Amino acid sequence: MGELPMAISVLETQSQQQSGGQSQPISLAWLTSLFFLWGFITCLNDILIPHLKNSFDLNYSQAMLVQFCFFGAYFLVSVPAGKLVEKIGFQRGIVVGLVIAGIGCGLFYPAASVHTYSLFLAALFVLASGITILQVSANPYVAKLGDAKTASSRLTMTQAFNSLGTTIAPFFGALLILDSAAKNANDASSVQLPYLGLALSFIVLAVVFALLKLPSIEQQKSDLTSSSSIKETLKDKRLAFGVIAIFVYVGAEVSIGSFMVNFLMEQHIGNLSEKVAASYLAYYWGGAMVGRFAGALLMQKISGAKVLFAHALIAIVLISIAVVSQGSIAMWALIFVGLCNSVMFPTIFSLAVGNLGEKTATGSGLLCLAIVGGAVIPLFQGLLADSIGIQHALVLPIICYAFIAFYGRFLTKQNHA
C-alpha cells in the first residue's frame, strides 16, 4: 500500500526546488527498492493468513487479526510517525523505519519457536509500524529527486515496482513458506528463514540510507490533532465521501486478497492445494499492476469519476458471479477484480483533495488514516465467513464497491453541476 503516502508526496513537494545531494539516479534506485519491499511484505500477509490459520487451528475472524494488527498500525502510528519525522528529518526517519521493520521481521523467529499466535500479531504490528514511518519519510523524496514536471512519471515508476512486489510475493510465499508448511500443517517454523532474510534486507537498507546523501526537504504540515480543523475540512463532501471511499476500497481489496487462497481451496471452487492457490494470488495483484497503466491511458480521454464508477460496477458484477457460481468461473471472476482495483485508489485520492486548497494537507492526512479500512473490513468479513461461509461472505466487498460506485456517480454529477 505504497500508494497512499505517495499521492500525498506529490501534493507536498511538486513546487519545491531541487537541492544538492547524492546522484539522482542512484538515490532514486535505492528509494524504488523500498517501494518494492513494502509492496512485497504487505502482500505476504495473504500467504501468512492461510498458513497461520492451519498452524494454530484458527477460525476466519481470528485469522483476520493478521490484517487487523498490520493495518491497524498504519492508523495508530501515522500521526506519531509524522511528529517523529518533523523532529529527526526525512532521511533519519527512513533509517528508523527500516530498523523497526527489520526488528518486526526478526520477531517472527521467536514467535514461531514458541508457537504463539499473539507473538506473531505483535511482530506484525512492529513490522507495520516501521513501514508506516518508512512511508511517511521516504515518499516525498520521489517527487523531490528531479524536475517537478516529471514527478508524476517517477511516481508511476516507483508505484509499478510496489505492484511488482505484490505480484512476486505470492510465488515467494508459496515456495518458501507454504511448500515447507505442507509437510507439517501444525508447524509455523517455515516462516522463520524467509522473515530472517527480510529482516536482513531491511537492516542492510538502513545502513545504505544512513550513508546516502539525500537532499533536504520541507514538509507541508497537516493539522490532525485539532478537531475543529478536521470538522472544517470534512465539510467538503468530496473529501468526506472520499475518506469513506478510501476506507471501503482498502478494506475490500485487502479482504479479497486475504481470503483468496482459502476461497480457491474450496472443493466446489478450485479444489487447489494451499501452495497452488497461493500462486494464483499473483494474478489478482498482477492485474492491479497491469490495469494501473491501462487506466492511466484511459483517463486521458475519460474523466476519472466516470472511470471510477465503471470499474466499481464491474467489480460488483465480478464478485456477484463469484458468489453465485462454482468452479473456474467463480475462481477467475474473483481474481479479475484485481484489474478493477487498479485505478481506484489514485482516482479517489486525487478527486477527494482536488478542491481543498490550503486544507489539502489535512485532507490528505485524513485519507491516510482511512487506510484503517484494511484492518476493520477483513475482520468483519471473517466474522461473516465463520457464520455463512467464505463464498457468501463476499457480499461485504460488494457493499464496499457499491459505495465507490456511488462516489463516482456523485462526482460525475458535481462535475456537470
Side-chain angles (χ1 to χ4, degrees):
M1 295 299 301
E3 304 163 319
L4 188 55
M6 181 168 5
I8 297 173
S9 73
V10 178
L11 296 167
E12 294 176 351
T13 62
Q14 276 183 334
S15 63
Q16 295 174 3
Q17 297 297 318
Q18 174 67 26
S19 58
Q22 194 82 27
S23 169
Q24 288 182 22
I26 294 176
S27 298
L28 189 59
W30 283 111
L31 285 164
T32 300
S33 70
L34 299 182
F35 282 80
F36 173 86
L37 195 55
W38 68 55
F40 185 97
I41 205 86
T42 302
C43 187
L44 209 55
N45 288 348
D46 297 340
I47 304 298
L48 275 179
I49 288 170
H51 173 52
L52 296 179
K53 184 178 184 295
N54 289 338
S55 296
F56 292 96
D57 194 24
L58 307 172
N59 59 28
Y60 285 114
S61 56
Q62 289 171 330
M64 287 305 115
L65 289 175
V66 167
Q67 301 292 26
F68 184 81
C69 289
F70 192 86
F71 285 94
Y74 279 74
F75 181 78
L76 295 174
V77 179
S78 287
V79 174
K83 297 294 184 182
L84 175 68
V85 171
E86 284 181 19
K87 291 183 178 180
I88 67 175
F90 285 92
Q91 184 165 358
R92 289 179 181 175
I94 291 175
V95 175
V96 170
L98 286 166
V99 170
I100 293 176
I103 293 171
C105 287
L107 289 174
F108 274 71
Y109 197 95
S113 295
V114 299
H115 199 72
T116 304
Y117 185 49
S118 59
L119 289 182
F120 273 106
L121 296 179
L124 282 162
F125 185 87
V126 174
L127 171 57
S129 297
I131 292 177
T132 303
I133 298 170
L134 185 62
Q135 292 196 18
V136 170
S137 306
N139 277 279
Y141 277 118
V142 177
K144 179 68 174 177
L145 291 172
D147 192 333
K149 294 179 181 179
T150 58
S152 295
S153 64
R154 292 194 300 279
L155 291 163
T156 299
M157 183 270 293
T158 52
Q159 185 57 47
F161 275 86
N162 179 270
S163 297
L164 181 62
T166 64
T167 304
I168 291 177
F171 294 111
F172 173 90
L175 180 64
L176 297 183
I177 296 177
L178 297 184
D179 190 35
S180 175
K183 300 172 184 176
N184 188 348
N186 295 319
D187 185 7
S189 63
S190 61
V191 304
Q192 289 179 314
L193 288 180
Y195 274 87
L196 276 182
L198 289 169
L200 180 61
S201 299
F202 278 116
I203 299 303
V204 169
L205 282 172
V207 173
V208 170
F209 276 91
L211 298 175
L212 279 177
K213 295 180 180 179
L214 296 174
S216 59
I217 57 178
E218 296 179 0
Q219 182 182 27
Q220 180 185 354
K221 295 182 180 180
S222 62
D223 191 1
L224 293 178
T225 58
S226 169
S227 59
S228 60
S229 176
I230 293 173
K231 289 179 182 178
E232 186 66 26
T233 305
L234 286 174
K235 287 181 180 179
D236 187 303
K237 288 186 177 180
R238 291 170 66 101
L239 175 68
F241 289 152
V243 169
I244 300 173
I246 288 290
F247 180 92
V248 297
Y249 162 71
V250 175
E253 182 187 49
V254 171
S255 290
I256 293 172
S258 299
F259 280 91
M260 183 70 73
V261 173
N262 289 109
F263 180 77
L264 299 183
M265 289 171 62
E266 292 281 292
Q267 188 172 3
H268 66 289
I269 302 296
N271 196 26
L272 304 176
S273 68
E274 195 174 51
K275 178 183 176 182
V276 174
S279 65
Y280 276 89
L281 186 64
Y283 295 107
Y284 174 70
W285 292 107
M289 178 177 64
V290 173
R292 186 166 286 119
F293 294 107
L297 294 174
L298 185 64
M299 283 188 285
Q300 290 181 2
K301 298 182 178 180
I302 305 174
S303 72
K306 290 181 179 178
V307 171
L308 180 66
F309 175 72
H311 278 67
L313 284 185
I314 296 171
I316 291 170
V317 171
L318 288 171
I319 301 173
S320 299
I321 292 173
V323 170
V324 301
S325 60
Q326 298 181 5
S328 59
I329 294 177
M331 182 175 84
W332 286 105
L334 194 63
I335 289 172
F336 279 129
V337 175
L339 280 168
C340 301
N341 288 335
S342 59
V343 301
M344 288 189 182
F345 180 86
T347 305
I348 294 170
F349 190 99
S350 59
L351 293 174
V353 300
N355 296 331
L356 290 182
E358 62 182 14
K359 299 175 184 176
T360 294
T362 301
S364 299
L366 290 170
L367 290 167
C368 185
L369 293 178
I371 199 173
V372 75
V376 176
I377 291 178
L379 188 59
F380 277 99
Q381 190 170 337
L383 292 169
L384 278 176
D386 288 330
S387 58
I388 62 176
I390 188 172
Q391 186 172 17
H392 293 110
L394 290 170
V395 67
L396 184 56
I398 290 176
I399 296 172
C400 293
Y401 287 111
F403 183 86
I404 295 171
F406 157 77
Y407 185 56
R409 187 62 179 164
F410 166 78
L411 292 173
T412 301
K413 288 182 178 179
Q414 273 212 334
N415 292 339
H416 286 91

